[in-house]
Amino acid sequence: MLTRMLLALSVLLLVPTANSTAYSAQSVPTDYFSRLPAYAKPGLSPSGNKVAFIRNFEKEQLAVLTTLDMVTGETLYLLKTDNEKIKIKWFEWANDKTLIVSAKFASKRKRTATMETRLVVIDATDEREEARPLIGRREHISQFQDNVIDFLPDDPEHILIALDQDTVNLPSVYKVNIYSGEKTRIERGKRQVRDWLTDQQGRLRIGYFTNYKTGEKGSIISMPETPDSWDSLFEYDGFSEQPIFPIGFAKDPDVLYYKRYNGDKKALYKMNIRTKQEELVFADPQHDVDGSLIYSKKTKEVIGLRDAHVTGGRLYWDKDRANLQKAFDKALPDTSNYLVDFSADENIYILYTESDSIPGAYYYGNRDKKTLHLLFEQYPELNGIQIPQHKLITYKARDGVEIQGYLTLPLGFDGPVSTILMPHGGPGAREYDGFDTWTAFLTNQGYAVFRPNFRGSSGYGYEFSQSQMKGWGLEMQDDLADAVTFLVNQKIATPEKVCIVGGSYGGYAAMMGIVKTPDLYKCAVSFAGVSNLKKLVISARKYTNAKFVKNQIGDDYDDLENRSPYYNVEKIKTPILLIHGQDDRVVNVAQSREMADELEDEDKEFEYIELEHGDHNLSVQKNRSALFDALDAFLAKHLD
């Protein structure tokens, strides 16, 4: 048994700070930054008396699903894994005694690499009880078994799950008893519906239609009084038209919330699905509305919206919740403060706080008792380490397009320094403010870090995001080179000491950067990067998203070769570090293995590290440690 965890609970509000002690030149151990969060993903039981969370033990290399009874102080260790073969994807309280857990693992089907998920049920009152598989074996074993479309809070013994057990890739909907595993099918898969949505009463209402062969998409709706009559609500071409995203129902089962484009920017709407009357709920003229609905567990009403671009990341139209948020923001002005979970009666809650320079901490609060206790800090070793703030800046690309990004300067910055350009993955993602371990680590080593939201990034409108379509290596890549020019002109970056570092798409951008602009970067680092676009498109034929990959990346093989680092290794002059996980199911490890072979054949300067049991998210602690150590040594060698 693992050493029993001690949680310091205080009646005082204890907020981790950046420390008043000035940062000194002594080296901070790399593993302070490379470790997985010590505590992660806390969730309250319906009563609020118990908290479930993931406890990552660095020394033992274990991730442990843990519960803490806030009344008795009892800690139970329910499920542990080293994250090498099986990882805990998510967990949810079904009731105060039972947890439902999604586990994921890398596998193969007919020699095709896959990622699989399974559901297990755990007795949260007894750590001696074994976890029980929820879905039994059948002739066809569904690849994904964790698509819970409704946890049915008013029926704590059942959940609704979408499974393709009748027809492959065409999920039916089943009501499943979480104790016996008994299933009752309530809707057979039909009409190329790939996913489902229920209303707040637990009734199946929306099916998401996708034709994998043509890419055609749309949404359909079933009216409750005529369950066999399906009516088309939205239709669009998935390749050429702006998409629509139903995201949830109001307490009124006839009111549907959804996101669609209001001009170029995504906005939040609601519609009465009987009358088809539409209403604009919220729009931001500068950014896409990018978050999910916030529900009251007590009333089931929609009370707000999560959106990264509004102050505090939450927009509440419920006065009680808005006032609670304002109280926290007034008491904690130096952090962003997020209410992340509530008990069923909404008296007990979990609060998360962080800032650019303050690693995240979780608190347990009781509104009736007016108490707030520190639960745990995600990175306790970083207490006492002064971490710099980010600055949102804007620069112009060569064609005049404005690009935003986050610049973080090392403490004591005085004039040009060695700089890390860090393009994000996706590319349909974006960078945000808030604490980031990679940036904190690199600035601690004395480097400036710039994380641009180049063309193709999400959040800046339809046209901006669509730049990624067949655009890899083109304007998207030029935006990165233009960022370096900007940083040099602003006396931030030392011209001959810029390294491009990225993962996934960012890894592709790092490799393509030293192909397209071989004299611009002193070095490059690619983690889990794509090196061969043609192989990516060809490999996609084995999967259901083949048409979408071809539409995103391209289908002209000559063009794909021109935009692939693998086919242009001879142009590279720059040392490069390649790192890739052996079990990566997002970007196949062959993308880095074959790039390493080509670099070796061309006698280029490179290092290649393959992480055993490694995935796309660096879930294994020893792999995170190996990557940060290798990154530290590589940058010191080429930038110092």
Side-chain angles (χ1 to χ4, degrees), residues 421-491:
L421 180 68
M422 189 176 291
H424 60 70
R430 58 154 297 174
E431 294 288 355
Y432 296 94
D433 59 2
F435 180 75
D436 177 70
T437 53
W438 289 67
T439 302
F441 166 65
L442 292 167
T443 53
N444 183 266
Q445 301 304 104
Y447 307 115
V449 178
F450 185 54
R451 299 175 291 137
N453 285 322
F454 46 85
R455 266 172 281 199
S457 301
S458 62
Y460 294 91
Y462 184 74
E463 182 179 351
F464 195 89
S465 65
Q466 287 296 104
S467 299
Q468 67 166 289
M469 309 307 286
K470 300 181 176 67
W472 292 31
L474 303 177
E475 287 87 356
M476 301 166 72
Q477 197 70 42
D478 294 338
D479 289 348
L480 301 177
D482 294 342
V484 175
T485 301
F486 171 81
L487 295 171
V488 169
N489 289 341
Q490 294 295 310
K491 309 297 184 186

Side-chain angles (χ1 to χ4, degrees), residues 17-18 334 354-359 385-390 434-435:
T17 66
D334 296 328
E354 72 160 24
S355 72
D356 296 350
S357 57
I358 301 174
I385 306 301
Q386 193 172 349
I387 297 170
Q389 299 273 349
H390 314 315
F435 180 75

Side-chain angles (χ1 to χ4, degrees), residues 24 94 185 190 309 370 426 531 624:
S24 62
R185 188 176 62 207
K190 61 181 66 174
H309 305 107
K370 297 182 180 180
S531 67
R624 291 181 69 89

Side-chain angles (χ1 to χ4, degrees), residues 28-236:
V28 175
T30 302
D31 59 8
Y32 282 21
F33 301 99
S34 65
R35 71 160 297 161
L36 291 162
Y39 306 89
K41 302 180 180 179
L44 284 171
S45 65
S47 69
N49 291 333
K50 296 178 181 179
V51 182
F53 53 92
I54 299 295
R55 174 73 163 103
N56 287 302
F57 290 88
E58 184 178 25
K59 183 178 179 180
E60 294 85 354
Q61 300 275 313
L62 289 174
V64 183
L65 177 59
T66 309
T67 61
L68 173 66
D69 191 311
M70 301 301 295
V71 178
T72 67
E74 182 182 23
T75 300
L76 298 180
Y77 302 108
L78 302 177
L79 187 66
K80 64 181 179 181
T81 175
D82 59 9
N83 281 339
E84 293 192 4
K85 293 184 178 180
I86 298 177
K87 303 168 182 66
I88 298 172
K89 183 180 177 185
W90 56 258
F91 55 88
E92 187 76 21
W93 288 96
N95 50 61
D96 257 48
K97 297 181 179 180
T98 310
L99 281 162
I100 299 173
V101 183
S102 168
K104 65 178 182 178
F105 56 94
S107 186
K108 287 188 177 182
R109 294 194 176 212
K110 296 180 180 180
R111 294 184 293 180
T112 297
T114 62
M115 179 59 69
E116 310 264 336
T117 62
R118 302 290 184 266
L119 282 183
V120 297
V121 178
I122 297 179
D123 184 345
T125 66
D126 189 348
E127 62 186 1
R128 296 168 298 179
E129 289 289 327
E130 294 289 332
R132 297 176 285 106
L134 186 58
I135 307 301
R137 297 178 64 90
R138 288 187 48 165
E139 183 176 342
H140 169 67
I141 300 175
S142 296
Q143 178 183 350
F144 302 109
Q145 298 183 13
D146 67 338
N147 186 10
V148 178
I149 60 174
D150 202 316
F151 283 94
L152 301 176
D154 295 330
D155 181 3
E157 293 189 0
H158 293 88
I159 58 176
L160 296 183
I161 302 180
L163 290 169
D164 64 346
Q165 291 195 338
D166 298 305
T167 305
V168 178
N169 296 323
L170 198 63
S172 299
V173 179
Y174 296 86
K175 187 175 184 178
V176 182
N177 186 296
I178 63 172
Y179 296 111
S180 68
E182 181 180 351
K183 300 195 301 294
T184 302
R185 188 176 62 207
I186 65 172
E187 190 69 60
R188 181 183 286 274
K190 61 181 66 174
R191 300 190 182 189
Q192 300 187 80
V193 171
R194 312 299 178 178
D195 204 358
W196 305 85
L197 180 66
T198 56
D199 60 22
Q200 291 299 293
Q201 289 70 38
R203 296 175 297 185
L204 197 63
R205 302 296 297 280
I206 295 288
Y208 300 94
F209 165 92
T210 302
N211 187 321
Y212 288 141
K213 293 183 178 180
T214 67
E216 181 185 0
K217 291 186 177 182
S219 298
I220 52 181
I221 184 168
S222 174
M223 304 304 289
E225 62 269 23
T226 55
D228 296 325
S229 176
W230 289 80
D231 178 36
S232 178
L233 184 61
F234 302 115
E235 293 182 350
Y236 60 91

Side-chain angles (χ1 to χ4, degrees), residues 30 525 577 579 607 609 625-636:
T30 302
V525 179
L577 170 63
I579 306 177
E607 298 176 40
I609 298 173
S625 300
L627 184 146
F628 272 69
D629 287 343
L631 177 63
D632 186 27
F634 184 80
L635 294 177

